[in-house]
Amino acid sequence: MSLQDITARMKAEEARTGRPTDTTKLIAVSKVQPDERVRAVLEEGHRIFGENKVQEAQGKWPAFKEEFEGVELHLLGPLQTNKTKQAMELFDVIHSLDRMKLANKLAALSAELGHCPDLFIQINTGEEEQKAGILPSEADQLIADCRALKLPVIGLMCIPPAEEEPSLHFALLAKIAKRNRLDGLSMGMSGDFETAIAQGATHIRVGSAIFGERDYG
Ligand SMILES: *Cc1c(COP(=O)(O)O)cnc(C)c1O
C-alpha cells in the first residue's frame, strides 16, 4: 500500500457511491511511525496528519511544521484535561472531545488563547467499557452543551469495536450527526475506510495502510 493507492481507492469509492470527487479528507495517522516514513509522505506532498498522543506529537511535529508548509495536525487519541492547552497549541483539529470537563476547559482556554481547534465529539458507539467516547444515549445532550459554550463542534467521531461489523457503527454515528445537524463524520481506518466513505465519512483516519505496520517494540 502507499499514499497513492489509498487516494486512488478513495476516489474510486467516491465515484462508485455517487459522491463528488475529493470530498473525503485523508488523515494520515503517523503515530509510532519512524520519522523517515513520515518524511517520505510529507515529501509526496501530503499535509494532513493524525497523532494519538500530545507528548509524542510534540516530539516530532514542531520541526516538521517548520520544514513543510501547510501541515494540518489532528489529535485522535484521548485528551487528558491537564494537556488541553498543549494540545490546543499544536493541533488544528481534536477528534476526542467526550466529556463536559474537557469542554469547559477548552472553552476557558479558547478565551485565553484567542482560538480553538475544530472539534469532533467522540461517540462510544459500541458502548465498550475500556473505550473513550460518550455513550450514544448521552450524545445529544453533550452536543447541545458544547454548542452552548460556543465551541466549534464540526462533527462526530467513532472507533467501532474491533470484532464487530463497522457499518452498523458508522450508520449509528451518521444518524446521531444528522439529527443534530452536524456535517462532519470522522470514521473509517485502514481496514474499513471504503465502507466509511460509502456511509458518508468526511474524514477517514488511515495509518498502517499508508505507512506500514506500527512497531511498538
Ligand atoms: C491508530 C488509529 C487509526 C489508524 O489505524 P490503522 O488501522 O493503522 O489505519 C485511526 N484512528 C484512531 C483513533 C487510531 O488510534
Side-chain angles (χ1 to χ4, degrees):
M1 262 333 127
S2 71
L3 180 66
Q4 278 171 12
D5 294 326
I6 300 298
T7 51
R9 283 168 60 187
M10 288 172 69
K11 279 186 210 298
E13 189 61 21
E14 287 172 339
R16 194 186 70 79
T17 55
R19 288 179 50 174
T21 319
D22 294 329
T23 48
T24 316
K25 255 196 188 194
L26 172 60
I27 302 170
V29 183
S30 51
K31 64 179 182 198
V32 189
Q33 299 288 355
D35 280 357
E36 62 269 20
R37 289 191 190 166
V38 182
R39 172 179 296 279
V41 172
L42 280 160
E43 282 171 351
E44 277 190 79
H46 195 73
R47 288 295 178 269
I48 309 171
F49 291 84
E51 288 283 341
N52 260 35
K53 294 188 172 146
V54 176
Q55 207 169 346
E56 185 187 338
Q58 280 176 322
K60 62 181 163 191
W61 281 101
F64 279 145
K65 275 188 165 183
E66 202 141 294
E67 189 178 345
F68 297 92
E69 224 168 291
V71 168
E72 180 182 304
L73 213 52
H74 294 242
L75 178 64
L76 310 176
L79 178 55
Q80 289 168 259
T81 319
N82 63 5
K83 299 234 174 84
T84 311
K85 190 172 184 182
Q86 290 151 289
M88 290 173 78
E89 284 166 346
L90 184 60
F91 290 95
D92 302 289
V93 186
I94 295 174
H95 292 239
S96 50
L97 172 55
D98 63 355
R99 60 197 189 282
M100 269 322 279
K101 188 177 176 202
L102 181 55
N104 285 321
K105 187 84 183 187
L106 285 160
L109 286 167
S110 296
E112 184 186 321
L113 299 172
H115 74 94
C116 185
D118 283 338
L119 302 168
F120 284 86
I121 291 180
Q122 183 177 353
I123 313 287
N124 186 354
T125 56
E127 308 195 19
E128 294 172 282
E129 212 140 280
Q130 80 286 4
K131 204 164 266 176
I134 185 107
L135 292 173
S137 61
E138 295 167 10
D140 294 355
Q141 188 64 53
L142 181 61
I143 294 164
D145 290 344
C146 289
R147 282 176 162 155
L149 288 174
K150 304 245 181 323
L151 290 174
V153 175
I154 63 166
L156 304 179
M157 177 270 228
C158 76
I159 309 170
E163 64 290 350
E164 285 182 30
E165 172 55 47
S167 60
L168 302 174
H169 296 272
F170 297 158
L172 175 57
L173 197 72
K175 185 173 119 185
I176 299 171
K178 188 168 186 216
R179 73 172 180 240
N180 286 284
R181 301 175 318 281
L182 282 168
D183 295 326
L185 287 173
S186 166
M187 57 190 200
M189 316 198 330
S190 290
D192 55 22
F193 69 85
E194 282 144 323
T195 307
I197 289 172
Q199 293 185 255
T202 58
H203 295 65
I204 61 172
R205 313 178 307 261
V206 180
S208 44
I210 295 174
F211 296 101
E213 290 303 315
R214 286 179 288 277
D215 181 1
Y216 289 95

